[in-house]
Amino acid sequence: MSAPPTSMAGQMMRRRPVIGAPVAHGASDHLKRSIGTFQLTLFGVGATVGTGIFLVLQEAVPEAGPAVLVSFVLAGVAAGLSALCYAEMASAVPVSGSTYSYAYTTMGEFVAMGVAACLLLEYGVSMSATSIGWGGYLNQLLDDVFGFRIPQALTSAPWGENPGIMNLTATLLIVMCGLLLIRGASESALVNTIMVIIKLAVLALFVAVAFTAFTTDHFAGFWDKGFAGITAAAGSIFFTFIGLDAVSTAGDEVKNPQKTMPRAILGALVVVASVYILVAFAGLGTQSADEFGSEEQSEAGLAVILTNILHGQTWASTILSFGAVISIFSVTLVVMYGQTRILFAMGRDGLLPSMFARVNSHTMTPINNTIVVALVTGTLAGFVPLDYLWDLVSIGTLVAFIVVSAGVVLLRVREPDLPRSFKVPGYPVTPVLSIIACLFVLYGLPAVTWLWFSVWVGAVLLFYLLWGRRHSALNDGGDGYIPGAAAGEDDVMTGHPEDRA
């Protein structure tokens, strides 16, 4: 290995090797590979099919009218462009860390730290804000089944429109997810698989009941809202696809990652897009577009539709509430998993203290950072109303999408012979279109969101300049090496430095 750069500029621009990346002193160099293609696909579905599909029609249909179906297709295509780029990067750089690891390999250490800031913000805020809504759906379900509700003082933060003591239900959800992740990745993947199947079955129930009241009359005036309405709705819908990034955080725990990860990313995209379009089509066929914007449907639109179809019977809406409770649990679990693996990758690279990359010898999971993530996000969810920070999640995700698309081009130029089990079709047009689509959506976000985003990223980059660059594993080669995409299967499975001596 060549001598490490000593100047600050050299340290900021150095890139992590695709093959044989060093491991920071005191960090574990591998996790247990136990996740297959089907379970990983459902990781992506679990992180993406959340409360969004239960609520997005109420926001999108008034903007586009019946042509919201076109909006779903446009959003799916935009997300698909990014998914194709993720698939190639995941096959070329099959390690944990998602876009952070891809940026480190293609754009250098400083950019990677900025991307890490985006991901940690995206995952942390998303997890905390999503868990906040769990108590509302849980209360609805408890009320429907048992006639009992958890007191409002225990389902609301001390600050906000309806202050309480703390959002105990949100904190409890995060603690449960943390305990499950500590048990092991395979156990978490199994639970997520069960929950995803349940929520897909619940949405299938909605579609089946909705088709009993389906009429094409509700598609009259299909194009009345015009192209502007279609694109506005597509922007709202696009954010319901952002969970696809979670698949790429599992690179170190996937069997045969070069083939499994691209298949899982694209498989999750197909499942999610199909479910969204089918639910939208069924919902639009049951009532006029104007009814979607009514106050009655503002909070539980799909449940209200079913109650109306069944002439006041509530059994179907109760099942939908159960589906929403399961859905939020699944999203929170996968997002927490993703954040802990990003922290693991950063600790292994030396850009965070090595405690974040220590693996329990029994469960083969990074217990330390799971506890840290649960404590931080559980506290935020319990005491801070984070609902208004959703736009920060969007910025973090879109920046990650852009970096991945640009990384595909850079890696093709620098290392054209690197083994790739999947290549982006239509290269280089596809990654360029992906970047343009993400920039278009970013352009519409408010200035105050950009301000808070800049403050957070600036703080993380300052930490890197003061601490991270001095402790990077690239400074002295670390004390081990991570096998890369071109390594043999035996090396990838073991990952022990003594096996590669």
Side-chain angles (χ1 to χ4, degrees), residues 414-425:
R414 289 201 187 107
E415 302 195 45
D417 298 325
L418 187 70
R420 297 169 173 85
S421 63
F422 178 87
K423 289 188 176 182
V424 171

Side-chain angles (χ1 to χ4, degrees), residues 189-454:
L190 175 61
V191 171
N192 176 70
T193 297
I194 294 170
M195 290 191 292
V196 170
I197 291 173
I198 289 173
K199 65 181 173 183
L200 291 180
V202 168
L203 290 172
L205 170 69
F206 169 81
V207 171
V209 175
F211 272 129
T212 64
F214 190 91
T215 173
T216 57
D217 295 343
H218 294 142
F219 293 89
F222 191 85
W223 302 104
D224 286 356
K225 297 290 186 177
F227 184 71
I230 291 173
T231 54
S236 301
I237 294 166
F238 180 83
F239 299 129
T240 63
F241 285 90
I242 63 179
L244 293 173
D245 177 84
V247 175
S248 62
T249 64
D252 280 294
E253 291 166 286
V254 175
K255 302 172 186 176
N256 194 6
Q258 287 89 349
K259 293 182 179 180
T260 297
M261 293 184 68
R263 291 171 182 169
I265 291 169
L266 298 178
L269 173 68
V270 170
V271 172
V272 170
S274 301
V275 168
Y276 283 2
I277 293 173
L278 190 58
V279 169
F281 181 68
L284 283 165
T286 64
Q287 63 181 29
S288 68
D290 294 338
E291 293 180 73
F292 281 91
S294 66
E295 184 176 347
E296 180 189 21
Q297 297 191 10
S298 62
E299 293 185 356
L302 298 190
V304 172
I305 291 174
L306 291 187
T307 301
N308 292 339
I309 293 173
L310 298 171
H311 307 292
Q313 297 181 47
T314 60
W315 63 267
S317 64
T318 299
I319 293 176
L320 265 182
S321 296
F322 174 71
V325 168
I326 294 296
S327 180
I328 295 176
F329 196 118
S330 174
V331 171
T332 306
L333 176 67
V334 177
V335 172
M336 178 179 282
Y337 170 88
Q339 186 166 44
T340 59
R341 271 49 182 181
I342 292 167
L343 290 171
F344 170 81
M346 295 175 70
R348 188 169 62 181
D349 292 337
L351 300 183
L352 284 178
S354 61
M355 64 164 283
F356 286 101
R358 291 187 187 135
V359 173
N360 180 273
S361 60
H362 176 64
T363 64
M364 291 303 293
T365 58
I367 290 179
N368 290 339
N369 56 18
T370 303
I371 293 173
V372 170
V373 168
L375 285 173
V376 173
T377 57
T379 301
L380 288 174
F383 295 98
V384 182
L386 294 174
D387 308 64
Y388 62 91
L389 293 181
W390 272 115
D391 281 345
L392 286 175
V393 175
S394 302
I395 287 185
T397 304
L398 289 164
V399 170
F401 282 6
I402 290 171
V403 167
V404 169
S405 301
V408 166
V409 178
L410 290 172
L411 204 57
R412 286 273 193 112
V413 171
R414 289 201 187 107
E415 302 195 45
D417 298 325
L418 187 70
R420 297 169 173 85
S421 63
F422 178 87
K423 289 188 176 182
V424 171
Y427 175 87
V429 175
T430 301
V432 171
L433 288 177
S434 174
I435 293 171
I436 292 173
C438 293
L439 288 173
F440 175 77
V441 180
L442 278 173
Y443 179 75
L445 295 176
V448 65
T449 303
W450 282 102
L451 176 62
W452 283 111
F453 174 75
S454 301

Side-chain angles (χ1 to χ4, degrees), residues 18-333:
V18 177
I19 300 173
V23 177
H25 297 289
S28 300
D29 69 333
H30 74 297
L31 298 167
K32 181 181 178 181
R33 295 191 180 277
S34 60
I35 301 174
T37 302
F38 180 71
Q39 288 182 318
L40 187 61
T41 300
L42 293 193
F43 257 50
V45 177
T48 306
V49 181
T51 54
I53 189 58
F54 291 89
L55 299 172
V56 74
L57 289 179
Q58 288 67 254
E59 182 178 351
V61 174
E63 293 177 319
V68 73
L69 293 175
V70 180
S71 302
F72 271 98
V73 173
L74 287 177
V77 169
L81 293 172
S82 296
L84 290 171
C85 296
Y86 265 99
E88 176 167 331
M89 289 298 292
S91 71
V93 189
V95 296
S96 292
S98 179
T99 317
Y100 154 76
S101 294
Y102 306 154
Y104 205 167
T105 300
T106 58
M107 300 179 186
E109 198 166 271
F110 188 72
V111 173
M113 201 67 179
V115 171
C118 296
L119 291 174
L120 294 176
L121 180 69
E122 168 197 343
Y123 279 70
V125 172
S126 174
M127 189 194 326
S128 301
T130 300
S131 65
I132 287 174
W134 192 63
Y137 285 101
L138 181 63
N139 256 342
Q140 183 64 47
L141 182 62
L142 291 173
D143 194 18
D144 288 344
V145 178
F146 303 108
F148 165 77
R149 298 181 70 88
I150 300 170
Q152 187 264 337
L154 297 179
T155 59
S156 300
W159 301 278
E161 295 181 3
N162 300 299
I165 299 174
M166 72 172 292
N167 195 326
L168 181 63
T169 53
T171 302
L172 178 63
L173 174 61
I174 288 175
V175 169
M176 288 190 295
C177 290
L179 292 174
L180 184 57
L181 289 173
I182 287 172
R183 282 288 304 273
S186 58
E187 291 85 350
S188 301
L190 175 61
V191 171
N192 176 70
T193 297
I194 294 170
M195 290 191 292
V196 170
I197 291 173
I198 289 173
K199 65 181 173 183
L200 291 180
V202 168
L203 290 172
L205 170 69
F206 169 81
V207 171
V209 175
F211 272 129
T212 64
F214 190 91
T215 173
T216 57
D217 295 343
H218 294 142
F219 293 89
F222 191 85
W223 302 104
D224 286 356
K225 297 290 186 177
F227 184 71
I230 291 173
T231 54
S236 301
I237 294 166
F238 180 83
F239 299 129
T240 63
F241 285 90
I242 63 179
L244 293 173
D245 177 84
V247 175
S248 62
T249 64
D252 280 294
E253 291 166 286
V254 175
K255 302 172 186 176
N256 194 6
Q258 287 89 349
K259 293 182 179 180
T260 297
M261 293 184 68
R263 291 171 182 169
I265 291 169
L266 298 178
L269 173 68
V270 170
V271 172
V272 170
S274 301
V275 168
Y276 283 2
I277 293 173
L278 190 58
V279 169
F281 181 68
L284 283 165
T286 64
Q287 63 181 29
S288 68
D290 294 338
E291 293 180 73
F292 281 91
S294 66
E295 184 176 347
E296 180 189 21
Q297 297 191 10
S298 62
E299 293 185 356
L302 298 190
V304 172
I305 291 174
L306 291 187
T307 301
N308 292 339
I309 293 173
L310 298 171
H311 307 292
Q313 297 181 47
T314 60
W315 63 267
S317 64
T318 299
I319 293 176
L320 265 182
S321 296
F322 174 71
V325 168
I326 294 296
S327 180
I328 295 176
F329 196 118
S330 174
V331 171
T332 306
L333 176 67

